């Protein structure tokens, strides 16, 4: 890279926990970050599920470089054994971090990245490519388009804005786009007992999905139904047997996590939740019910076609990366999970849970495009086995590589918790969301011990199974 290019900033796309951690590491290395955030504030995606408690305690949610910057101020570190809500992660950590002058002066909010390329050439041109600065095109809230020249790019934009479709074969079902446009299909993880309560009270709600997002939402809906007459709950999953969905056996490393599964099972067995197994969604139709629009959901089952008429549908089928902005970048992705090719086999959710993913850094995350990296949740593509601590180690290694410290970049290490959970359709990450209950009940069940209280697979066990499993 030329001397002129070395004076350019490093673009960090996204101002979530991993994006701000990347910025903190760049600052420690004497490099200049340019942080581009599409939301109005840092942590925009987390603000949408601020009512949810994270899986992992504070000690795994604070980036070391960010902590060092904060410790130079009057910041008070949270109790490291506590499990924070998303709102607490923002209030006690991300907001103080984003307010630091070194960070705030580099942070551009309401700024959407629309494309990443190289100055003067598209992806088909190779000559002198590595010596050209990157061109990052952004669109401001007022529609203004600006092109930034940067020396490197770290994409930490996550996957929250790209939920998986509800139809079969990874495709949207006919009528799905219209149902979303008519607000009959909600966003993931709505606050059904809080700010969104009026939207769901007294309605017939269908949840589709079988991971932690589904479990959290269903238990919250169960709480709502106790207090709001007329609230009905249906749950549709593709699996033929719901037993695995409740946890237990060698899939549960924590008794308390199994207790949450017991709560969900009881809601189903007592008839509070109508469970539909082996249900493959095939179409959506808009219908009228009691003077308002409703949704007719058709699915194939072994017993034939089934139609469910509901007021609202909550999706809980996970997320996938948005790669459109990277069309002019030379990427090398795993064909299955859409992660960097070297990382894909290490995170495949069929074989790995959060705690069985080895530490990895710049070398594993590299693409043919020199000095371009995808980090954080987006680096895992469609795999849900991500932990914040993993992302922090990723950007520490990446920033070391960009600073020319090859030794530090290659010495990756990570101490993951022996607990926590993953599931193949969890939307977001292994850190969030965790149990969604009212704060008093959650404090009683979670805060007394620094362990997640969830359904699913223990993260510290090989392939998510106990060491003596067959």
């Amino acid at each position: 890279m030329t001397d002129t290019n070395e004076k350019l900033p490093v673009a960090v796309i996204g101002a979530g926990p991993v994006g701000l951690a990347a910025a903190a590491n760049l600052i420690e290395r004497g490099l200049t970050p340019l942080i581009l955030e599409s939301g109005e504030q840092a942590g925009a995606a987390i603000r949408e599920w601020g009512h949810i408690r994270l899986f992992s305690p504070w000690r795994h949610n604070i980036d070391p470089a960010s902590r060092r910057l904060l410790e130079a101020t009057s910041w008070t570190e949270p109790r490291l054994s506590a499990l924070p809500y998303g709102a607490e992660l923002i209030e006690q950590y991300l907001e103080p971090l984003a307010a630091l002058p070194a960070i705030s002066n580099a942070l551009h909010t309401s700024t959407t990245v629309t494309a990443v390329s190289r100055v003067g050439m598209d992806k088909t041109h190779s000559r002198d490519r590595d010596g050209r600065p990157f061109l990052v095109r952004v669109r401001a809230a007022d529609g203004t388009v600006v092109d930034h020249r940067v020396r490197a790019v770290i994409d930490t934009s996550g996957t929250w804005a790209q939920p998986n479709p509800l139809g079969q074969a990874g495709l949207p079902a006919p009528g799905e786009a219209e149902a979303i446009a008519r607000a009959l299909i909600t966003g993931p993880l709505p606050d059904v007992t809080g700010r969104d309560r009026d939207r769901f009270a007294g309605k017939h709600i269908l949840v589709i999905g079988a991971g932690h997002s589904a479990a959290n939402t269903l238990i919250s809906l169960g709480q709502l139904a106790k207090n709001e007459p007329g609230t009905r709950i249906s749950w549709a999953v593709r699996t033929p047997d719901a037993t695995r969905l409740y946890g237990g056996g060698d899939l549960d490393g924590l008794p308390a996590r199994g207790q949450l599964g017991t709560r969900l099972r009881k809601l189903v067995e007592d008839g509070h939740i109508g469970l539909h197994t082996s249900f493959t969604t095939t179409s959506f139709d808009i219908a009228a019910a009691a003077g308002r629009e409703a949704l007719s959901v058709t699915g194939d089952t072994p017993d034939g076609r089934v139609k469910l008429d509901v007021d609202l549908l909550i999706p809980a089928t996970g997320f996938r990366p948005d790669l459109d902005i990277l069309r002019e970048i030379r990427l090398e992705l795993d064909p299955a999970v859409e992660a960097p090719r070297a990382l894909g086999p290490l995170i495949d959710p069929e074989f790995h849970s959060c705690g069985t993913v080895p530490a990895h850094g710049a070398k594993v995350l590299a693409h043919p495009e020199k000095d371009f990296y995808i980090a954080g949740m987006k680096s895992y593509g469609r795999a849900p086995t991500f932990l914040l601590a993993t992302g922090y180690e990723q950007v520490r290694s990446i920033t070391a590589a960009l600073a020319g410290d090859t030794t530090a970049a290659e010495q990756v290490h990570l101490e993951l918790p022996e607990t926590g959970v993953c599931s193949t359709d969890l939307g977001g990450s292994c850190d969030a969301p965790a149990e969604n209950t009212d704060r008093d009940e959650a404090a009683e069940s979670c805060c007394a011990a620094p362990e997640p209280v969830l359904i699913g697979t223990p993260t510290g066990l090989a392939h998510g199974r106990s060491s003596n499993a067959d």
Side-chain angles (χ1 to χ4, degrees):
M1 185 173 287
T2 65
D3 290 342
T4 301
N5 287 349
E6 287 182 349
K7 297 177 182 178
L8 294 174
V10 175
V12 178
I13 305 176
V18 178
L20 294 186
N25 278 274
L26 288 167
I27 291 166
E28 280 201 336
R29 289 281 180 176
L31 303 177
T32 302
L34 172 67
I35 313 166
L36 305 168
E37 168 57 48
S38 62
E40 296 180 358
Q41 299 170 280
I46 297 175
R47 293 174 190 274
E48 296 193 35
W49 50 263
H51 56 287
I52 300 295
R53 189 184 286 272
L54 274 72
F55 285 177
S56 50
W58 272 112
R59 65 174 176 269
H60 297 299
N61 298 328
I62 299 175
D63 164 61
S66 301
R67 174 188 279 111
R68 289 189 288 271
L69 288 181
L70 288 166
E71 285 176 342
T73 70
S74 58
W75 176 68
T76 300
E77 185 174 69
R79 183 165 59 88
L80 295 182
S81 61
L83 295 170
Y85 284 89
E88 293 170 335
L89 183 70
I90 291 171
E91 295 164 5
Q92 299 178 40
Y93 174 54
L94 292 184
E95 286 183 344
L97 182 59
L100 296 175
I103 299 288
S104 63
N105 292 337
L107 177 58
H108 298 252
T109 56
S110 300
T111 302
T112 302
V113 175
T114 61
V116 181
S117 189
R118 290 276 190 179
V119 171
M121 58 176 57
D122 62 21
K123 72 191 301 181
T124 67
H125 291 81
S126 300
R127 182 174 298 175
D128 299 324
R129 186 175 186 86
D130 291 349
R132 297 287 186 102
F134 287 91
L135 184 152
V136 180
R137 178 163 293 175
V138 303
R139 183 182 65 250
D142 62 2
T144 303
V145 175
V146 177
D147 288 344
H148 294 280
R149 293 190 177 203
V150 298
R151 60 174 290 184
V153 177
I154 307 173
D155 184 352
T156 68
S157 56
T159 58
W160 178 258
Q162 193 88 353
N164 284 324
L166 291 160
Q168 60 180 322
L171 304 174
E176 184 170 338
E178 183 182 1
I180 293 172
R182 304 283 273 271
L184 296 171
I185 297 178
T186 75
L189 290 170
D191 189 0
V192 300
T193 59
R195 67 178 180 223
D196 301 320
R197 185 187 190 98
D198 291 344
R199 186 179 184 187
F200 297 97
K203 305 289 181 59
H204 182 191
I205 313 300
L206 171 64
V207 177
I208 294 182
H212 303 117
S213 298
N216 297 328
T217 299
L218 287 162
I219 290 172
S220 292
L221 285 170
Q223 290 293 113
L224 180 66
K226 290 180 180 179
N227 300 308
E228 296 288 350
T231 304
R232 296 172 54 205
I233 311 165
S234 293
W235 179 22
V237 298
R238 292 178 182 173
T239 57
D241 183 4
T243 302
R244 181 186 62 82
L245 309 179
Y246 305 129
D250 67 353
L251 292 178
D252 259 316
L254 296 172
R257 184 170 55 213
Q259 291 170 13
L260 183 59
T262 300
R263 290 176 61 191
L264 182 56
R265 181 196 294 271
K266 184 170 177 57
L267 285 171
V268 173
E269 293 179 348
D270 288 352
H272 299 299
I273 295 175
L275 175 62
H276 302 267
T277 57
S278 299
F279 187 96
T280 300
T281 306
T282 56
S283 68
F284 296 98
D285 294 290
I286 311 298
R292 63 174 183 266
E293 285 189 335
L295 186 64
S296 183
V297 184
T298 302
D300 287 339
T301 74
D303 297 324
R305 186 155 293 182
V306 172
K307 183 174 288 189
L308 303 174
D309 294 319
V310 301
D311 295 303
L312 290 169
L313 187 154
I314 301 175
T317 50
F319 298 79
R320 59 181 59 179
D322 180 2
L323 301 172
D324 285 349
I325 66 171
L326 307 179
R327 288 182 63 86
E328 298 304 324
I329 292 297
R330 294 183 173 183
L331 301 178
E332 191 171 53
L333 298 174
D334 178 85
V337 297
E338 296 182 327
R341 182 174 291 274
L343 178 60
L346 305 180
I347 63 173
D348 189 327
E350 289 194 22
F351 304 103
H352 288 282
S353 65
C354 303
T356 66
V357 175
H360 55 276
K363 185 175 181 180
V364 168
L365 297 169
H367 291 275
E369 196 75 68
K370 185 177 184 294
D371 294 332
F372 173 84
Y373 298 93
I374 301 174
M377 186 66 218
K378 188 172 182 177
S379 72
Y380 273 43
R382 300 191 186 196
T385 50
F386 178 75
L387 282 165
L388 280 181
T390 302
Y392 296 155
E393 179 61 9
Q394 286 179 340
V395 295
R396 184 208 60 78
S397 173
I398 289 169
T399 54
L402 293 176
D405 190 345
T406 304
T407 301
E410 292 181 351
Q411 291 177 345
V412 291
H413 60 277
L414 190 61
E415 294 182 6
L416 293 176
E418 287 296 312
T419 55
V421 284
C422 309
S423 70
T424 56
D425 69 351
L426 173 64
S429 76
C430 288
D431 291 291
E435 183 178 4
N436 182 15
T437 61
D438 64 81
R439 286 179 180 262
D440 291 339
E441 183 177 357
E444 180 178 338
S445 62
C446 296
C447 290
E451 302 296 357
V453 183
L454 298 158
I455 309 168
T457 304
T459 61
L461 306 178
H463 297 206
R465 297 278 180 171
S466 60
S467 59
N468 58 0
D470 293 336

